[in-house]
Amino acid sequence: MIVLLPPSETKHPGGDGPPLALDSLGTPALTPLRRELLDDVVALAADRDASRRALGLSTRQDDEIDRNAVLRSAPTLPALHRYTGVLYDALDVGSLRGAAAARAHARLAVVSALFGLLRGDDAVPAYRLSAGSRLPGRPTLAARWRPVLEPVLAGLAERHLIVELRSGPYAALAQVPGALLSEGADGRRVAVSHANKAHKGRLARALATTRAEPTDAAAVAAVARRAGLRVELRGTELRVLVPG
């Protein structure tokens, strides 16, 4: 089982790992596009006005541009420890130890606008690039990622059950055939809801740490219920019931 997570706009700063080494990241088929995007983002950081427009930033967020300027030399953290926010607070991967931590790093993956598919141990710097960012003179990020990322995710789906917890903009970077979808109480994606993000984090933690090896939707629902989540299963849609 692989659980696909969205990244977060906010990132933990700094890190204790060496500078980014693209060749050390998993899924080497993505390295050429990762390198292109890295070049684009670093070059864009030289123009603050253009960076603000492309990344949707205000002048008070210029530190995000400064981060992008030093992506090649900045320290790194494992992907699961880089991201922060409501979902990642609920996931709380830093509290996991031993076998539970190992399962989490094996089962959880983040789909990033800058790096594509990241496994838990992939070491990355803090950066700013969202799925909806528009880099000047370039196609959309979805148009760039889809041709290279969709075959990778399709290959994973042939070998593993995929649980889809990404928000809409990140799911649009690459579709996954046969993924088990997690939705809000009314069956719609509620990407901006903090309660929804927290429940996704709780579900991700339950799936990441269970000793079971879920192979179908019913098994995933059983893990969720044992973790105290209220869920309904309808085909490939697992509805997490978020209290109103």
Side-chain angles (χ1 to χ4, degrees):
M1 175 181 59
I2 300 295
V3 181
L4 293 182
L5 301 175
S8 60
E9 295 286 4
T10 55
K11 319 285 192 302
H12 286 294
D16 54 11
L20 177 67
L22 290 178
D23 291 340
S24 73
L25 300 181
T27 322
L30 305 181
T31 300
L33 183 51
R34 287 167 172 161
R35 183 170 289 113
E36 288 179 18
L37 289 170
L38 185 68
D39 290 343
D40 288 346
V41 169
V42 172
L44 180 64
D47 185 332
R48 287 185 180 273
D49 287 339
S51 289
R52 293 183 196 118
R53 289 192 298 271
L55 304 177
L57 301 175
S58 70
T59 55
R60 291 178 296 177
Q61 295 172 293
D62 278 358
D63 59 328
E64 301 275 13
I65 302 172
D66 295 336
R67 285 181 177 181
N68 282 356
V70 296
L71 282 175
R72 293 191 181 92
S73 59
T76 57
L77 282 173
L80 288 180
H81 297 269
R82 175 60 72 191
Y83 300 103
T84 185
V86 174
L87 187 156
Y88 287 91
D89 287 347
L91 172 59
D92 193 15
V93 72
S95 69
L96 301 178
R97 299 291 183 272
R103 284 192 290 270
H105 281 81
R107 290 173 175 171
L108 299 177
V110 181
V111 174
S112 156
L114 181 57
F115 298 109
L117 184 70
L118 290 172
R119 302 308 298 266
D121 289 327
D122 282 337
V124 294
Y127 65 93
R128 183 60 177 251
L129 187 71
S130 305
S133 298
R134 296 299 298 265
L135 298 175
R138 298 287 191 266
T140 65
L141 290 170
R144 297 175 77 176
W145 273 119
R146 197 174 295 121
V148 294
L149 188 52
E150 282 195 343
V152 168
L153 295 182
L156 281 179
E158 291 176 357
R159 305 188 303 275
H160 304 280
L161 174 67
I162 304 296
V163 180
E164 173 67 271
L165 298 187
R166 291 178 295 168
S167 54
Y170 287 94
L173 295 181
Q175 300 296 314
V176 188
L180 176 63
L181 303 177
S182 174
E183 300 184 334
D186 58 1
R188 294 183 295 109
R189 293 187 183 279
V190 196
V192 298
S193 164
H194 277 219
N196 180 265
K197 289 181 180 180
H199 278 67
K200 282 186 176 181
R202 291 178 59 198
L203 177 59
R205 183 180 176 92
L207 296 174
T209 58
T210 181
R211 292 186 177 89
E213 292 289 347
T215 57
D216 58 25
V220 170
V223 171
R225 292 185 181 113
R226 286 197 297 271
L229 292 166
R230 294 179 58 215
V231 298
E232 292 179 351
L233 183 62
R234 299 184 181 181
T236 61
E237 293 182 2
L238 181 70
R239 298 187 177 185
V240 181
L241 304 180
V242 182

